[in-house]
Amino acid sequence: MSEQDVREIVARLETVRMDALLRGDVATLDDITSDRYIHIESTGRRRNKAEFLDGLARAEFRFESFDIEENRIIARPEFGYAVGSYRNRIRTREGLNPVKHARHVRIYEKENGVWRNVFHQATEFMT
């Protein structure tokens, strides 16, 4: 598989992921997320796939907005990753959180013939 093919796959998965987050679509996120998934939030909290999806399913958090400002995709034949920045707003049970401005990195790998998100980390901009 060429690096251009991988870039296109990762770009498509990034769009699918963002749409699913905004809709709270746990089934789609489950499909595109590896069972080995590690999610590091901008606060430093670490979640695995089940914890992340369960939090979304139980409405522990909901994305009110999610705007990607920059998303550079780097590809290799066996994996691809997206590096960039975003602004989002999350609603928790406590209420609407302020807009978060952060950098991100997400890694995608091909597992048993299917490309999936295996890692996400965000780091909030210091103000």
Side-chain angles (χ1 to χ4, degrees):
M1 178 167 286
S2 76
E3 291 181 11
Q4 181 59 35
D5 291 340
V6 174
R7 263 191 293 284
E8 290 171 7
I9 290 166
V10 170
R12 181 183 56 78
L13 287 169
E14 282 283 283
T15 299
V16 168
R17 181 181 183 277
M18 209 56 48
D19 290 344
L21 286 172
L22 286 167
R23 290 190 327 272
D25 183 349
V26 175
T28 296
L29 290 167
D30 184 44
D31 286 344
I32 67 168
T33 304
S34 170
D35 289 340
R36 299 179 294 122
Y37 184 67
I38 298 170
H39 184 101
I40 309 292
E41 296 177 0
S42 61
T43 61
R45 180 179 180 183
R46 181 183 191 270
R47 296 183 196 225
N48 62 30
K49 176 182 179 177
E51 292 165 335
F52 179 72
L53 295 180
D54 186 55
L56 190 60
R58 291 184 302 107
E60 181 181 311
F61 57 91
R62 287 278 185 231
F63 290 90
E64 297 280 320
S65 65
F66 209 126
D67 299 310
I68 299 292
E69 297 177 325
E70 172 192 7
N71 210 28
R72 182 172 171 229
I73 297 172
I74 297 95
R76 299 295 178 264
E78 64 280 356
F79 69 92
Y81 56 98
V83 178
S85 61
Y86 65 87
R87 291 180 191 271
N88 72 12
R89 181 167 271 182
I90 297 174
R91 181 175 301 279
T92 64
R93 291 187 180 127
E94 291 77 34
L96 190 61
N97 291 347
V99 171
K100 180 191 304 177
H101 190 205
R103 296 191 188 282
H104 67 267
V105 62
R106 276 182 290 284
I107 300 172
Y108 294 84
E109 290 180 352
K110 192 173 186 179
E111 294 181 330
N112 301 318
V114 179
W115 285 87
R116 291 197 170 95
N117 185 199
V118 296
F119 179 81
H120 164 89
Q121 181 168 356
T123 304
E124 197 161 359
F125 281 89
M126 299 301 291
T127 56

